[in-house]
Amino acid sequence: MTIVYIGDDNPSSTSFHRFLALKRLGHLVTIYNPQDACKEQLQGFLGSKIHFRTGYQFLQNRIRKWLTTVLEKQKTVDLIWVDSGELIGKSALETLKIAGAPVVLYNVDDPTGKRDGGRFKSLLRALPFYDLVVVVRTESEKECRELGASNVLLVYRSYDEEAHKPYDTLAEIPTQFQSEIAFIGTWMRYEKRDDFLLKLIQNGLPVAIWGDRWQKSPHWNALKAHYRGGALGGRDYVAAIQGAKLCIGMLSKGNRDLHTQRSLEIPFIGGLFCAERTSEHTEMYQEDEEAVFWNDVDECILTCRDLLGNEPKRESIRRAGMRRVRENKVGNEDICTRIIEELKRNQAI
């Protein structure tokens, strides 16, 4: 199948991982980054802020012309895959539809939620014109239908079979990525992740933190001794997860998360997943057998203490989690296959 893939072409992005997964499945896929159409407009703090808040409405003519050029390069098109889609409004989507191929939207954000203000304004107006809309939240599924999307598929997020492949042995993991308890994630002003991690530290737990913007935390002076560095990608990301005895997973409340990318990536890589107890987490994994969960920081402290002092239990849960996430069929190749099968089922391709 010949696929035009509209998405982020940064090799470390999850969008690019999905592009590669489609190629591994045997499809002929060409990636085009929609930001190439408006690099100048999105550069700089003010410009990017204005377009984010206005839902990229003032960039639509530019993006539409760019998409026309993209399609002129393609001799045949069997499927157009739009990943994220925040830059693709109604007129731009109508341009894509001229190719005569089905167009699928895959979005792992919360486009119908309130956290990001007007960011997805253009995308929401285009929803009725997609042949399939793929989302990762039950709220998004319902709200996309209410906004006119005729075919909506709910999926879990996914790990990547190649990018997140574990090291063969722990001995291969560099010492700088080994830890007792790891948290990998960005500091966010209203998410209180710093409060949570600080309480773990104050209770004597050896926490290692990787991620951006932690210097902005009001608790930075107390956290900086536990800070290992900025955002991780590639094999460093895999090493930090596999090299930890426990991996803390946190949700984004502003995004109405009940699971995140880490919920799949951590067990696949071989980390012991320790996260907030939600309906989706307990559906994915058997509690205390394949992952461990908590309702608040105090329960997390008790859970971490117990597991750090019990290697056989820790290893049993870790191995069982690795098996379960593979059985759940939530790799990028699995999800991409499911999406294409859904399109075939609806006779879109």
Side-chain angles (χ1 to χ4, degrees), residues 232-249:
L232 295 173
R235 300 308 288 166
D236 290 349
Y237 175 72
V238 172
I241 288 174
Q242 195 176 355
K245 292 179 180 178
L246 296 172
C247 293
I248 301 291

Side-chain angles (χ1 to χ4, degrees), residues 167-268:
Y167 284 86
D168 291 333
T169 66
L170 291 177
E172 298 177 61
I173 297 174
T175 55
Q176 67 263 34
F177 296 115
Q178 296 177 21
S179 66
E180 300 288 299
I181 300 172
F183 176 73
I184 304 169
T186 304
W187 175 81
M188 296 181 181
R189 185 178 302 276
Y190 302 111
E191 296 287 349
K192 298 187 182 298
R193 293 175 171 183
D194 47 358
D195 291 350
F196 190 99
L197 294 176
L198 179 61
K199 191 158 186 183
L200 297 186
I201 291 165
Q202 289 173 336
N203 279 270
L205 291 171
V207 178
I209 303 169
W210 283 272
D212 291 337
R213 300 174 59 199
W214 283 91
Q215 294 84 352
K216 294 179 179 291
S217 167
H219 304 308
W220 171 241
N221 286 336
L223 295 172
K224 63 183 177 181
H226 299 264
Y227 184 67
R228 297 281 191 95
L232 295 173
R235 300 308 288 166
D236 290 349
Y237 175 72
V238 172
I241 288 174
Q242 195 176 355
K245 292 179 180 178
L246 296 172
C247 293
I248 301 291
M250 294 191 191
L251 306 174
S252 172
K253 306 298 184 182
N255 258 357
R256 302 187 291 183
D257 285 342
L258 292 177
H259 82 283
T260 71
Q261 211 79 19
R262 303 275 196 273
S263 306
L264 298 315
E265 293 170 353
I266 288 171
F268 178 80

